Amino acid sequence: MLDLFSHLKFQEYAYLTITGEGDAQQIAEQYGVKTRRMWNAGDVEQTGHGVITLIKCAFMRTHI
Amino acid sequence: MYWGDNENAAHHIELLLLGHVARRAQALPDEFTRTMHVVLHAVHSQAGGVSLTPEHIRDLARIKAQLKIYLYKMEAEGENVAEFSHECPHARLIVEPKRPSVLDGVYERAYLSLSSVDSSPEEISSHLGLEPTWFRRRGELPQTIPRPKYPPVNHLWQMDAGLDRQQDMAAHFDALHQVLVEKHELLSDFGMDYRNSIGIGSAACFDTSTCITLSQSLIERMARLGMWFDLDLYLC
């Protein structure tokens, strides 16, 4: 999977996240937020040092 | 398409702030946390940065967002980016850089930076009634290594708040903020743009990554100044 994005290796980029309590899908629908990606608490795996752990949080991320 | 090949972080921020989610984010209840993440990579260098316009800062304040800027060092072509960079655009959450703390050796400061072709550092000081922390004269090559090929074409005048650099960014900005408010009209005489801005610098004694967070309340105070902000991160 890494190879698919190797051209982005040195890019600058920005993205916006919204976090809060509740179900991410429901929150997105309730407030009309169209987002490409969202996670709920528990979706996050500990894959190494320093990974953000969300507890009782919905998480939405969007980018251009 | 996630990101254009030739665009920089400031451009992405601008598009996000103009976009649908930013408009929706404004309407969300305050208990939701909005965060604008800016990811930079230092390639064959120790530094990275982004300049934000007064409009960027104002729009961040409008949607009640905090700002997190990340810098990752990239040593050479072919290095495995996933080891120490954001996993974006992979479908997992981000990997946080080492958390800055004084104990780890993070030095932060906020400073006013003014540039002028015509006004010497002494004239800038006289006009503002302030003394610089550091200045550079037009035409004088700095004693840095490597020395630049060409002498600078303008005078550069900088003043920080005089705090110990081990204090955090909020303390530095608080101390500088009072001066900026008092001198706001005089500062506008220099024409506020990317050359005349508030510098925010963070130097971290880490090998591969660092980050700086500007809180929502700090963003709101920055927005009221109506000035450009030059945000720079360094690894040492």
Side-chain angles (χ1 to χ4, degrees), chain B residues 28-87:
Chain B
L28 285 169
D30 286 348
E31 58 261 33
F32 288 93
T33 301
R34 301 88 156 152
T35 307
M36 180 70 77
H37 305 258
V38 178
V39 184
L40 307 170
H41 293 106
V43 186
H44 304 305
S45 74
Q46 299 290 115
V50 59
S51 289
L52 299 181
T53 67
E55 290 75 26
H56 291 147
I57 301 292
R58 185 194 61 209
D59 287 348
L60 284 169
R62 177 174 51 80
I63 66 170
K64 301 175 181 175
Q66 61 176 342
L67 179 65
K68 291 175 79 79
I69 305 170
Y70 312 83
L71 175 69
Y72 297 93
K73 182 171 173 57
M74 307 300 288
E75 289 288 356
E77 287 285 338
E79 197 138 358
N80 186 350
V81 66
E83 285 184 3
F84 47 79
S85 182
H86 266 60
E87 293 187 331

Short mmCIF file of all heavy atoms in Angstrom, two decimals, chain B residues 28-87:
data_model
loop_
_atom_site.label_atom_id
_atom_site.label_comp_id
_atom_site.label_asym_id
_atom_site.label_seq_id
_atom_site.Cartn_x
_atom_site.Cartn_y
_atom_site.Cartn_z
N LEU B 28 -21.14 23.42 14.31
CA LEU B 28 -21.14 22.34 15.30
C LEU B 28 -21.11 22.92 16.71
O LEU B 28 -20.55 23.99 16.95
CB LEU B 28 -19.90 21.46 15.10
CG LEU B 28 -19.93 20.50 13.91
CD1 LEU B 28 -18.54 19.92 13.70
CD2 LEU B 28 -20.95 19.40 14.13
N PRO B 29 -21.71 22.19 17.64
CA PRO B 29 -21.63 22.64 19.04
C PRO B 29 -20.17 22.74 19.51
O PRO B 29 -19.28 22.06 18.97
CB PRO B 29 -22.36 21.53 19.80
CG PRO B 29 -23.25 20.88 18.80
CD PRO B 29 -22.52 20.97 17.50
N ASP B 30 -19.96 23.56 20.52
CA ASP B 30 -18.60 23.84 20.97
C ASP B 30 -17.89 22.63 21.55
O ASP B 30 -16.66 22.62 21.65
CB ASP B 30 -18.60 24.98 22.01
CG ASP B 30 -18.86 26.33 21.36
OD1 ASP B 30 -18.80 26.39 20.11
OD2 ASP B 30 -19.11 27.29 22.09
N GLU B 31 -18.66 21.61 21.98
CA GLU B 31 -17.98 20.46 22.58
C GLU B 31 -17.19 19.64 21.56
O GLU B 31 -16.39 18.80 21.94
CB GLU B 31 -18.96 19.56 23.33
CG GLU B 31 -20.09 19.02 22.50
CD GLU B 31 -21.37 19.82 22.69
OE1 GLU B 31 -21.26 21.06 22.91
OE2 GLU B 31 -22.46 19.24 22.63
N PHE B 32 -17.41 19.88 20.28
CA PHE B 32 -16.58 19.21 19.27
C PHE B 32 -15.26 19.97 19.12
O PHE B 32 -15.24 21.20 19.13
CB PHE B 32 -17.30 19.16 17.93
CG PHE B 32 -18.45 18.20 17.89
CD1 PHE B 32 -19.73 18.62 18.17
CD2 PHE B 32 -18.22 16.85 17.62
CE1 PHE B 32 -20.79 17.74 18.16
CE2 PHE B 32 -19.28 15.96 17.62
CZ PHE B 32 -20.57 16.39 17.89
N THR B 33 -14.20 19.22 18.96
CA THR B 33 -12.89 19.82 18.79
C THR B 33 -12.50 19.82 17.32
O THR B 33 -12.48 18.77 16.68
CB THR B 33 -11.83 19.04 19.59
OG1 THR B 33 -12.19 19.04 20.96
CG2 THR B 33 -10.45 19.67 19.43
N ARG B 34 -12.25 21.01 16.78
CA ARG B 34 -11.80 21.12 15.39
C ARG B 34 -10.30 21.34 15.41
O ARG B 34 -9.81 22.22 16.13
CB ARG B 34 -12.43 22.31 14.67
CG ARG B 34 -13.94 22.32 14.61
CD ARG B 34 -14.50 22.98 15.81
NE ARG B 34 -15.84 23.50 15.55
CZ ARG B 34 -16.76 23.64 16.47
NH1 ARG B 34 -16.52 23.29 17.73
NH2 ARG B 34 -17.93 24.14 16.16
N THR B 35 -9.60 20.61 14.59
CA THR B 35 -8.15 20.75 14.52
C THR B 35 -7.70 20.81 13.07
O THR B 35 -8.02 19.91 12.29
CB THR B 35 -7.45 19.56 15.22
OG1 THR B 35 -7.96 19.42 16.54
CG2 THR B 35 -5.95 19.80 15.28
N MET B 36 -6.99 21.85 12.73
CA MET B 36 -6.35 21.92 11.42
C MET B 36 -4.94 21.36 11.57
O MET B 36 -4.14 21.87 12.35
CB MET B 36 -6.29 23.36 10.91
CG MET B 36 -5.64 23.52 9.56
SD MET B 36 -6.61 22.84 8.19
CE MET B 36 -7.86 24.13 7.99
N HIS B 37 -4.65 20.29 10.84
CA HIS B 37 -3.33 19.66 10.90
C HIS B 37 -2.54 20.09 9.66
O HIS B 37 -3.06 20.01 8.54
CB HIS B 37 -3.45 18.14 10.88
CG HIS B 37 -4.33 17.58 11.97
ND1 HIS B 37 -3.83 17.01 13.11
CD2 HIS B 37 -5.69 17.51 12.07
CE1 HIS B 37 -4.85 16.60 13.87
NE2 HIS B 37 -5.98 16.90 13.26
N VAL B 38 -1.33 20.51 9.86
CA VAL B 38 -0.45 20.87 8.75
C VAL B 38 0.79 19.99 8.84
O VAL B 38 1.47 19.98 9.86
CB VAL B 38 -0.04 22.35 8.81
CG1 VAL B 38 0.90 22.70 7.67
CG2 VAL B 38 -1.28 23.24 8.77
N VAL B 39 1.06 19.25 7.79
CA VAL B 39 2.17 18.29 7.80
C VAL B 39 3.26 18.77 6.84
O VAL B 39 3.01 19.02 5.66
CB VAL B 39 1.68 16.89 7.37
CG1 VAL B 39 2.82 15.88 7.47
CG2 VAL B 39 0.50 16.45 8.23
N LEU B 40 4.45 18.90 7.38
CA LEU B 40 5.60 19.37 6.59
C LEU B 40 6.71 18.33 6.64
O LEU B 40 6.83 17.60 7.63
CB LEU B 40 6.13 20.69 7.16
CG LEU B 40 5.12 21.83 7.35
CD1 LEU B 40 5.75 22.95 8.15
CD2 LEU B 40 4.63 22.33 6.01
N HIS B 41 7.51 18.30 5.61
CA HIS B 41 8.66 17.39 5.59
C HIS B 41 9.92 18.19 5.29
O HIS B 41 9.95 18.97 4.35
CB HIS B 41 8.46 16.31 4.51
CG HIS B 41 7.34 15.39 4.82
ND1 HIS B 41 6.15 15.42 4.16
CD2 HIS B 41 7.22 14.41 5.74
CE1 HIS B 41 5.33 14.50 4.66
NE2 HIS B 41 5.95 13.87 5.62
N ALA B 42 10.93 17.95 6.08
CA ALA B 42 12.22 18.59 5.85
C ALA B 42 13.09 17.62 5.06
O ALA B 42 13.46 16.56 5.55
CB ALA B 42 12.89 18.93 7.18
N VAL B 43 13.37 17.99 3.84
CA VAL B 43 14.16 17.12 2.97
C VAL B 43 15.58 17.69 2.90
O VAL B 43 15.78 18.81 2.46
CB VAL B 43 13.55 17.07 1.56
CG1 VAL B 43 14.30 16.06 0.70
CG2 VAL B 43 12.08 16.72 1.63
N HIS B 44 16.54 16.92 3.32
CA HIS B 44 17.93 17.36 3.34
C HIS B 44 18.10 18.67 4.09
O HIS B 44 18.88 19.53 3.71
CB HIS B 44 18.48 17.51 1.92
CG HIS B 44 18.35 16.27 1.11
ND1 HIS B 44 18.88 15.05 1.52
CD2 HIS B 44 17.73 16.02 -0.08
CE1 HIS B 44 18.60 14.14 0.62
NE2 HIS B 44 17.90 14.68 -0.36
N SER B 45 17.29 18.88 5.09
CA SER B 45 17.41 20.10 5.89
C SER B 45 16.90 19.79 7.29
O SER B 45 16.47 18.67 7.58
CB SER B 45 16.60 21.24 5.27
OG SER B 45 15.22 21.02 5.47
N GLN B 46 16.93 20.78 8.14
CA GLN B 46 16.50 20.60 9.52
C GLN B 46 15.27 21.44 9.84
O GLN B 46 14.94 21.61 11.01
CB GLN B 46 17.64 21.02 10.47
CG GLN B 46 18.92 20.24 10.33
CD GLN B 46 18.79 18.82 10.82
OE1 GLN B 46 18.89 17.87 10.06
NE2 GLN B 46 18.54 18.65 12.10
N ALA B 47 14.65 22.01 8.81
CA ALA B 47 13.60 22.98 9.11
C ALA B 47 12.45 22.89 8.12
O ALA B 47 12.60 22.37 7.01
CB ALA B 47 14.17 24.39 9.10
N GLY B 48 11.31 23.40 8.54
CA GLY B 48 10.16 23.52 7.65
C GLY B 48 9.24 24.59 8.21
O GLY B 48 9.32 24.93 9.40
N GLY B 49 8.39 25.16 7.36
CA GLY B 49 7.52 26.20 7.86
C GLY B 49 6.41 26.54 6.89
O GLY B 49 6.36 26.04 5.77
N VAL B 50 5.50 27.38 7.36
CA VAL B 50 4.37 27.80 6.54
C VAL B 50 4.00 29.22 6.97
O VAL B 50 4.07 29.57 8.14
CB VAL B 50 3.17 26.84 6.70
CG1 VAL B 50 2.71 26.75 8.14
CG2 VAL B 50 2.02 27.22 5.79
N SER B 51 3.64 30.04 5.98
CA SER B 51 3.18 31.41 6.26
C SER B 51 1.66 31.45 6.13
O SER B 51 1.12 30.97 5.13
CB SER B 51 3.81 32.40 5.28
OG SER B 51 5.17 32.58 5.56
N LEU B 52 1.02 32.02 7.13
CA LEU B 52 -0.43 32.13 7.11
C LEU B 52 -0.85 33.59 7.06
O LEU B 52 -0.31 34.44 7.78
CB LEU B 52 -1.04 31.47 8.35
CG LEU B 52 -0.76 29.97 8.50
CD1 LEU B 52 -1.45 29.44 9.75
CD2 LEU B 52 -1.24 29.20 7.28
N THR B 53 -1.80 33.89 6.21
CA THR B 53 -2.30 35.25 6.05
C THR B 53 -3.24 35.60 7.21
O THR B 53 -3.74 34.71 7.91
CB THR B 53 -3.08 35.39 4.74
OG1 THR B 53 -4.27 34.61 4.84
CG2 THR B 53 -2.26 34.92 3.54
N PRO B 54 -3.54 36.89 7.38
CA PRO B 54 -4.55 37.27 8.38
C PRO B 54 -5.89 36.59 8.12
O PRO B 54 -6.61 36.25 9.07
CB PRO B 54 -4.67 38.79 8.21
CG PRO B 54 -3.37 39.22 7.61
CD PRO B 54 -2.93 38.08 6.74
N GLU B 55 -6.20 36.34 6.84
CA GLU B 55 -7.47 35.68 6.51
C GLU B 55 -7.47 34.22 6.96
O GLU B 55 -8.48 33.70 7.46
CB GLU B 55 -7.74 35.76 5.00
CG GLU B 55 -8.07 37.16 4.50
CD GLU B 55 -6.85 38.07 4.43
OE1 GLU B 55 -5.72 37.55 4.29
OE2 GLU B 55 -7.03 39.30 4.53
N HIS B 56 -6.33 33.53 6.78
CA HIS B 56 -6.23 32.16 7.28
C HIS B 56 -6.49 32.11 8.78
O HIS B 56 -7.27 31.27 9.27
CB HIS B 56 -4.82 31.59 7.03
CG HIS B 56 -4.51 31.35 5.60
ND1 HIS B 56 -3.24 31.49 5.08
CD2 HIS B 56 -5.29 30.97 4.57
CE1 HIS B 56 -3.27 31.20 3.79
NE2 HIS B 56 -4.48 30.90 3.45
N ILE B 57 -5.81 32.98 9.50
CA ILE B 57 -5.92 32.98 10.96
C ILE B 57 -7.35 33.33 11.37
O ILE B 57 -7.93 32.71 12.28
CB ILE B 57 -4.93 33.99 11.58
CG1 ILE B 57 -3.49 33.65 11.18
CG2 ILE B 57 -5.09 34.04 13.08
CD1 ILE B 57 -2.95 32.38 11.79
N ARG B 58 -7.92 34.32 10.70
CA ARG B 58 -9.29 34.73 11.02
C ARG B 58 -10.27 33.59 10.78
O ARG B 58 -11.19 33.35 11.58
CB ARG B 58 -9.66 35.95 10.15
CG ARG B 58 -11.02 36.55 10.47
CD ARG B 58 -11.45 37.49 9.37
NE ARG B 58 -11.58 36.77 8.11
CZ ARG B 58 -11.41 37.30 6.91
NH1 ARG B 58 -11.08 38.57 6.80
NH2 ARG B 58 -11.55 36.58 5.82
N ASP B 59 -10.10 32.86 9.67
CA ASP B 59 -11.01 31.76 9.36
C ASP B 59 -10.84 30.59 10.33
O ASP B 59 -11.81 29.92 10.67
CB ASP B 59 -10.81 31.29 7.92
CG ASP B 59 -11.37 32.28 6.92
OD1 ASP B 59 -12.10 33.20 7.34
OD2 ASP B 59 -11.07 32.16 5.72
N LEU B 60 -9.61 30.35 10.75
CA LEU B 60 -9.39 29.32 11.77
C LEU B 60 -10.11 29.70 13.06
O LEU B 60 -10.72 28.85 13.72
CB LEU B 60 -7.89 29.13 12.04
CG LEU B 60 -7.09 28.35 10.99
CD1 LEU B 60 -5.60 28.48 11.26
CD2 LEU B 60 -7.50 26.88 10.99
N ALA B 61 -10.04 30.98 13.41
CA ALA B 61 -10.73 31.45 14.61
C ALA B 61 -12.24 31.33 14.44
O ALA B 61 -12.96 30.96 15.38
CB ALA B 61 -10.33 32.89 14.90
N ARG B 62 -12.72 31.61 13.25
CA ARG B 62 -14.17 31.57 12.98
C ARG B 62 -14.73 30.17 13.19
O ARG B 62 -15.83 30.01 13.72
CB ARG B 62 -14.43 32.06 11.55
CG ARG B 62 -15.87 32.01 11.12
CD ARG B 62 -16.05 32.64 9.74
NE ARG B 62 -15.14 32.11 8.74
CZ ARG B 62 -15.30 30.95 8.10
NH1 ARG B 62 -16.36 30.20 8.36
NH2 ARG B 62 -14.42 30.54 7.21
N ILE B 63 -13.99 29.15 12.76
CA ILE B 63 -14.50 27.79 12.94
C ILE B 63 -14.05 27.19 14.27
O ILE B 63 -14.26 26.01 14.53
CB ILE B 63 -14.10 26.86 11.77
CG1 ILE B 63 -12.58 26.62 11.73
CG2 ILE B 63 -14.59 27.40 10.45
CD1 ILE B 63 -12.18 25.53 10.76
N LYS B 64 -13.41 28.02 15.11
CA LYS B 64 -13.00 27.63 16.46
C LYS B 64 -12.03 26.44 16.43
O LYS B 64 -12.19 25.47 17.17
CB LYS B 64 -14.23 27.30 17.32
CG LYS B 64 -15.18 28.48 17.44
CD LYS B 64 -16.43 28.09 18.19
CE LYS B 64 -17.40 29.28 18.28
NZ LYS B 64 -18.67 28.93 18.91
N ALA B 65 -11.07 26.54 15.56
CA ALA B 65 -10.12 25.44 15.39
C ALA B 65 -8.82 25.73 16.13
O ALA B 65 -8.42 26.88 16.31
CB ALA B 65 -9.82 25.23 13.91
N GLN B 66 -8.18 24.67 16.56
CA GLN B 66 -6.78 24.77 16.97
C GLN B 66 -5.93 24.37 15.77
O GLN B 66 -6.43 23.86 14.77
CB GLN B 66 -6.51 23.86 18.15
CG GLN B 66 -6.73 22.38 17.90
CD GLN B 66 -6.36 21.52 19.08
OE1 GLN B 66 -5.63 21.94 19.97
NE2 GLN B 66 -6.86 20.30 19.09
N LEU B 67 -4.63 24.64 15.87
CA LEU B 67 -3.73 24.37 14.75
C LEU B 67 -2.58 23.52 15.24
O LEU B 67 -1.94 23.84 16.25
CB LEU B 67 -3.22 25.70 14.18
CG LEU B 67 -2.25 25.65 13.01
CD1 LEU B 67 -2.90 25.04 11.77
CD2 LEU B 67 -1.74 27.06 12.68
N LYS B 68 -2.33 22.42 14.55
CA LYS B 68 -1.19 21.57 14.87
C LYS B 68 -0.31 21.49 13.63
O LYS B 68 -0.80 21.17 12.54
CB LYS B 68 -1.64 20.16 15.28
CG LYS B 68 -2.36 20.13 16.63
CD LYS B 68 -2.88 18.74 16.94
CE LYS B 68 -1.80 17.83 17.45
NZ LYS B 68 -1.47 18.04 18.87
N ILE B 69 0.96 21.78 13.82
CA ILE B 69 1.91 21.72 12.71
C ILE B 69 2.95 20.65 13.03
O ILE B 69 3.51 20.65 14.13
CB ILE B 69 2.59 23.07 12.49
CG1 ILE B 69 1.53 24.15 12.30
CG2 ILE B 69 3.51 23.02 11.27
CD1 ILE B 69 2.10 25.53 12.30
N TYR B 70 3.19 19.77 12.09
CA TYR B 70 4.12 18.65 12.27
C TYR B 70 5.28 18.80 11.29
O TYR B 70 5.07 19.17 10.13
CB TYR B 70 3.44 17.31 11.99
CG TYR B 70 2.09 17.12 12.65
CD1 TYR B 70 0.93 17.63 12.07
CD2 TYR B 70 1.98 16.43 13.85
CE1 TYR B 70 -0.30 17.45 12.67
CE2 TYR B 70 0.74 16.25 14.45
CZ TYR B 70 -0.39 16.76 13.86
OH TYR B 70 -1.62 16.58 14.44
N LEU B 71 6.46 18.50 11.76
CA LEU B 71 7.63 18.47 10.87
C LEU B 71 8.31 17.12 11.01
O LEU B 71 8.64 16.69 12.11
CB LEU B 71 8.61 19.59 11.25
CG LEU B 71 9.93 19.57 10.46
CD1 LEU B 71 9.69 19.94 8.99
CD2 LEU B 71 10.95 20.52 11.08
N TYR B 72 8.52 16.48 9.87
CA TYR B 72 9.22 15.20 9.84
C TYR B 72 10.48 15.35 9.01
O TYR B 72 10.45 15.96 7.93
CB TYR B 72 8.34 14.12 9.22
CG TYR B 72 7.10 13.83 10.00
CD1 TYR B 72 5.91 14.48 9.71
CD2 TYR B 72 7.11 12.92 11.05
CE1 TYR B 72 4.76 14.23 10.43
CE2 TYR B 72 5.97 12.67 11.79
CZ TYR B 72 4.80 13.33 11.47
OH TYR B 72 3.66 13.09 12.18
N LYS B 73 11.55 14.81 9.48
CA LYS B 73 12.79 14.85 8.73
C LYS B 73 12.84 13.68 7.77
O LYS B 73 12.58 12.54 8.15
CB LYS B 73 13.99 14.79 9.67
CG LYS B 73 15.33 14.89 8.95
CD LYS B 73 16.45 15.06 9.94
CE LYS B 73 17.80 15.00 9.24
NZ LYS B 73 17.92 16.01 8.19
N MET B 74 13.17 13.96 6.53
CA MET B 74 13.31 12.92 5.52
C MET B 74 14.76 12.92 5.08
O MET B 74 15.26 13.87 4.50
CB MET B 74 12.40 13.24 4.32
CG MET B 74 10.94 13.48 4.71
SD MET B 74 10.18 12.09 5.52
CE MET B 74 10.02 10.97 4.13
N GLU B 75 15.44 11.84 5.34
CA GLU B 75 16.88 11.81 5.10
C GLU B 75 17.23 11.72 3.62
O GLU B 75 18.10 12.40 3.13
CB GLU B 75 17.51 10.62 5.84
CG GLU B 75 17.53 10.78 7.33
CD GLU B 75 18.54 11.81 7.79
OE1 GLU B 75 19.27 12.34 6.95
OE2 GLU B 75 18.56 12.10 8.99
N ALA B 76 16.58 10.81 2.93
CA ALA B 76 17.00 10.57 1.55
C ALA B 76 15.89 9.88 0.79
O ALA B 76 14.94 9.37 1.37
CB ALA B 76 18.27 9.72 1.52
N GLU B 77 16.04 9.86 -0.50
CA GLU B 77 15.09 9.14 -1.34
C GLU B 77 15.01 7.68 -0.91
O GLU B 77 16.01 7.07 -0.53
CB GLU B 77 15.55 9.20 -2.80
CG GLU B 77 15.36 10.56 -3.44
CD GLU B 77 13.92 10.84 -3.78
OE1 GLU B 77 13.15 9.88 -3.91
OE2 GLU B 77 13.56 12.03 -3.90
N GLY B 78 13.82 7.12 -0.95
CA GLY B 78 13.68 5.70 -0.70
C GLY B 78 13.48 5.35 0.75
O GLY B 78 13.25 4.19 1.07
N GLU B 79 13.58 6.33 1.63
CA GLU B 79 13.39 6.02 3.04
C GLU B 79 11.93 5.68 3.30
O GLU B 79 11.03 6.23 2.67
CB GLU B 79 13.80 7.22 3.89
CG GLU B 79 14.02 6.83 5.31
CD GLU B 79 15.25 7.51 5.87
OE1 GLU B 79 15.92 8.24 5.13
OE2 GLU B 79 15.50 7.31 7.03
N ASN B 80 11.69 4.81 4.23
CA ASN B 80 10.33 4.36 4.48
C ASN B 80 9.56 5.43 5.24
O ASN B 80 9.72 5.61 6.44
CB ASN B 80 10.36 3.07 5.29
CG ASN B 80 8.97 2.48 5.44
OD1 ASN B 80 7.98 3.13 5.11
ND2 ASN B 80 8.91 1.26 5.92
N VAL B 81 8.69 6.12 4.54
CA VAL B 81 7.98 7.26 5.12
C VAL B 81 7.10 6.84 6.29
O VAL B 81 6.92 7.58 7.25
CB VAL B 81 7.15 7.98 4.04
CG1 VAL B 81 6.04 7.08 3.53
CG2 VAL B 81 6.57 9.27 4.57
N ALA B 82 6.59 5.62 6.25
CA ALA B 82 5.64 5.20 7.27
C ALA B 82 6.29 5.03 8.64
O ALA B 82 5.61 4.98 9.65
CB ALA B 82 4.97 3.90 6.87
N GLU B 83 7.60 4.94 8.66
CA GLU B 83 8.25 4.73 9.95
C GLU B 83 8.12 5.93 10.87
O GLU B 83 8.04 5.79 12.06
CB GLU B 83 9.73 4.41 9.74
CG GLU B 83 9.96 3.00 9.23
CD GLU B 83 11.43 2.68 9.14
OE1 GLU B 83 12.24 3.55 9.53
OE2 GLU B 83 11.77 1.60 8.67
N PHE B 84 8.15 7.11 10.29
CA PHE B 84 8.12 8.26 11.18
C PHE B 84 7.34 9.44 10.59
O PHE B 84 7.62 10.57 10.87
CB PHE B 84 9.53 8.71 11.57
CG PHE B 84 10.49 8.81 10.43
CD1 PHE B 84 10.47 9.90 9.60
CD2 PHE B 84 11.41 7.82 10.24
CE1 PHE B 84 11.38 10.01 8.57
CE2 PHE B 84 12.32 7.91 9.22
CZ PHE B 84 12.31 9.01 8.36
N SER B 85 6.37 9.14 9.79
CA SER B 85 5.56 10.23 9.26
C SER B 85 4.09 9.94 9.50
O SER B 85 3.73 8.88 9.97
CB SER B 85 5.81 10.40 7.77
OG SER B 85 5.07 11.49 7.28
N HIS B 86 3.26 10.91 9.15
CA HIS B 86 1.84 10.66 9.17
C HIS B 86 1.51 9.49 8.26
O HIS B 86 2.12 9.32 7.22
CB HIS B 86 1.10 11.89 8.63
CG HIS B 86 0.67 12.83 9.68
ND1 HIS B 86 1.55 13.44 10.53
CD2 HIS B 86 -0.55 13.29 10.00
CE1 HIS B 86 0.88 14.23 11.33
NE2 HIS B 86 -0.40 14.17 11.04
N GLU B 87 0.52 8.73 8.64
CA GLU B 87 0.09 7.66 7.76
C GLU B 87 -0.92 8.15 6.74
O GLU B 87 -1.34 7.42 5.88
CB GLU B 87 -0.49 6.51 8.57
CG GLU B 87 0.57 5.84 9.41
CD GLU B 87 0.06 4.60 10.10
OE1 GLU B 87 -1.15 4.56 10.39
OE2 GLU B 87 0.85 3.71 10.34
#
